[in-house]
């Protein structure tokens, strides 16, 4: 009789993988709408392109591995990876960058480890880091919000810029610029005070203009996932609290070192990382205490990379580094076995 190895996620009945992934996609919709409102239809073009590339890569790998197509293509995992990666990279990323990132995530990070349930690293974040290291200039230039743009980007211009790199004789760099996190980091190096930097048009009430609302919608979508019991509260709460505490302490020690603690909570990929990326049930910790340790580690590393690292945002690197520590975290946070001795 054959013996089958079971790996996470252990989902059955009403909580099967397909339903879980569908709810994750639904929870992302408000933030996608907000991003489209602030940055234009290029966001949707990028999402659609990423999903198509992911499904093609998934199909090819399933064929090569002699696996049935329907159950794996319909489970939604490839689409979730694609959407998360598409939302993490600049909307006007050249089409080939999106395809490379998504294809690498599906083939090398997911399938070469055995498919869903076997991958030790978050596929979307490894794809993101691959692109960031390989194409740093393209990955650190974002569209300004529509209200600050001299030339708002519509459907036609989005398609032409993504697929040809040109529109009206101008390249992508003519339409894009630094993110609020990048602007804050760069200008602090130039000895400008965070309060002065925050008064510039690129910034809103607490974080980057537009980014604060996008992060709020990511958080609301994540809270809905907690309510639906798709994810637990441990990782996002631990990550947010850890980021808040470390940024508050360093701000009290030296207020010129970075933006305010609230700035870090509602800028960049903080809430996307807290509720949709760090909560990955496969590459994250499986014990309750371990999830708290994992989330706190992601929050601390995110801040450390933002302030002292070479990149403006640190969520992706933080998640991958904590993925490496998951076996150790799980080992030392095992719950007590009934009737056994004290836990480690």
């Amino acid at each position: 009789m054959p013996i089958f190895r079971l790996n996470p996620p252990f989902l059955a009945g009403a909580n099967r993988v397909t339903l879980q992934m569908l709810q994750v996609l639904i929870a992302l919709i408000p933030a996608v709408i907000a991003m489209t409102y602030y940055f234009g239809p290029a966001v949707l073009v990028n999402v659609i392109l990423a999903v198509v590339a992911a499904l093609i890569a998934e199909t090819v790998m399933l064929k090569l591995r002699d696996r049935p197509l329907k159950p794996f293509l319909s489970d939604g995992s490839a689409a979730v990876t694609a959407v998360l990666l598409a939302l993490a990279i600049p909307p006007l990323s050249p089409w080939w960058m999106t395809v490379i990132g998504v294809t690498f995530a599906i083939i090398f990070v997911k399938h070469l480890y055995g498919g869903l349930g076997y991958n030790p690293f978050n596929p979307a974040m490894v794809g993101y880091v691959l692109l960031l290291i390989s194409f740093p200039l393209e990955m650190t230039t974002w569209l300004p919000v529509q209200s600050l743009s001299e030339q708002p980007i519509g459907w036609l211009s989005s398609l032409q810029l993504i697929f040809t790199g040109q529109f009206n004789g101008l390249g992508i760099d003519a339409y894009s610029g630094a993110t609020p996190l990048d602007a804050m980091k760069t200008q602090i190096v130039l000895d400008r005070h965070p309060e002065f930097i925050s008064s510039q048009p690129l910034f809103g009430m607490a974080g980057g203009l537009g980014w604060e609302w996008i992060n709020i919608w990511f958080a609301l979508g994540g809270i809905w996932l907690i309510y639906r019991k798709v994810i637990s509260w441990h990782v996002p709460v631990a990550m947010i609290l850890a980021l808040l505490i470390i940024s508050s302490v360093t701000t009290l020690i030296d207020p010129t070192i970075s933006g305010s603690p609230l700035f870090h909570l509602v800028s960049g990929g903080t809430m996307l990382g807290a509720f949709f990326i760090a909560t990955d049930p496969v590459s994250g910790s499986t014990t309750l205490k371990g999830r708290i340790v994992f989330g706190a580690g992601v929050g601390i590393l995110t801040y450390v990379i933002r302030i002292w690292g070479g990149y403006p945002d640190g969520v992706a690197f933080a998640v991958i580094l904590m993925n490496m520590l998951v076996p150790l975290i799980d080992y030392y946070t095992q719950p007590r076995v009934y009737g056994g001795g004290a836990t480690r």
Side-chain angles (χ1 to χ4, degrees):
M1 180 177 179
I3 299 176
F4 297 97
R5 179 187 174 193
L6 296 177
N7 275 61
F10 302 115
L11 301 171
N15 291 321
R16 61 188 181 276
V17 173
T18 301
L19 179 58
Q20 183 192 41
M21 297 300 173
L22 178 60
Q23 291 180 96
V24 171
L25 291 173
I26 292 172
L28 285 168
I29 290 175
V32 172
I33 294 173
M35 290 187 72
T36 304
Y37 173 79
Y38 284 108
F39 299 116
V43 173
L44 296 179
V45 174
N46 215 13
V47 168
I48 294 170
L49 177 62
V51 171
V52 171
L55 293 178
I56 292 174
E58 185 94 341
T59 300
V60 171
M61 291 306 297
L62 289 172
K63 283 285 189 181
L64 291 175
R65 297 177 60 208
D66 197 26
R67 298 295 180 90
L69 296 182
K70 185 176 180 180
F72 292 101
L73 284 177
S74 63
D75 67 14
S77 60
V80 168
T81 296
V83 174
L84 292 176
L85 180 56
L87 296 178
I89 65 178
L92 286 182
S93 298
W95 67 270
W96 48 267
M97 269 182 54
T98 304
V99 171
I100 288 173
V102 171
T103 302
F104 185 85
I106 297 296
I107 293 178
F108 290 91
V109 191
K110 180 181 179 182
H111 279 283
L112 292 191
Y113 281 100
L116 181 65
Y118 293 85
N119 50 286
F121 302 103
N122 186 290
M125 290 301 93
V126 176
Y128 174 90
V129 168
L130 170 75
L131 294 178
L132 184 60
I133 294 174
S134 303
F135 314 104
L137 179 61
E138 291 85 351
M139 286 291 289
T140 52
T141 51
W142 272 72
L143 282 170
V145 295
Q146 296 276 50
S147 61
L148 297 179
S149 178
E150 295 181 1
Q151 305 178 65
I153 306 296
W155 281 101
L156 179 60
S157 52
S158 296
L159 290 169
Q160 290 193 357
L161 285 166
I162 290 172
F163 287 98
T164 70
Q166 296 283 325
F167 181 72
N168 286 340
L170 299 175
I172 293 175
D173 56 340
Y175 297 89
S176 55
T179 64
L181 277 173
D182 194 18
M184 178 69 73
K185 188 182 185 77
T186 302
Q187 294 187 49
I188 284 176
V189 173
L190 299 175
D191 292 328
R192 293 176 179 171
H193 198 281
E195 288 187 4
F196 169 77
I197 300 170
S198 299
S199 66
Q200 298 171 6
L202 186 61
F203 297 85
M205 294 180 293
L209 187 63
W211 284 101
E212 48 202 7
W213 285 106
I214 291 169
N215 271 277
I216 288 171
W217 283 113
F218 275 129
L220 291 175
I223 291 170
W224 181 75
L225 289 180
I226 294 174
Y227 169 75
R228 296 286 301 171
K229 294 183 170 53
V230 175
I231 62 174
S232 70
W233 60 267
H234 303 78
V235 171
V237 169
M239 176 182 167
I240 292 169
L241 283 179
L243 180 57
L244 181 63
I245 291 170
I246 188 174
S247 59
S248 298
V249 171
T250 53
T251 299
L252 288 173
I253 295 172
D254 185 358
T256 67
I257 199 172
S258 71
S260 69
L262 188 56
F263 170 78
H264 284 282
L265 291 185
V266 295
S267 294
T270 301
M271 295 302 168
L272 174 64
F275 289 98
F276 294 93
I277 295 171
T279 53
D280 178 21
V282 178
S283 58
S285 180
T286 56
T287 68
L288 294 183
K289 291 181 181 178
R291 289 172 188 169
I292 294 175
V293 174
F294 181 88
V298 172
I300 293 170
L301 287 173
T302 295
Y303 184 79
V304 169
I305 294 169
R306 284 180 177 180
I307 305 306
W308 294 286
Y311 297 96
D313 204 348
V315 173
F317 288 103
V319 169
I320 293 172
L321 289 172
M322 291 307 296
N323 286 159
M324 295 180 184
L325 294 178
V326 163
L328 186 65
I329 293 171
D330 282 352
Y331 179 80
Y332 283 104
T333 58
Q334 295 177 38
R336 178 183 300 180
V337 178
Y338 182 75
T343 57
R344 293 182 177 88

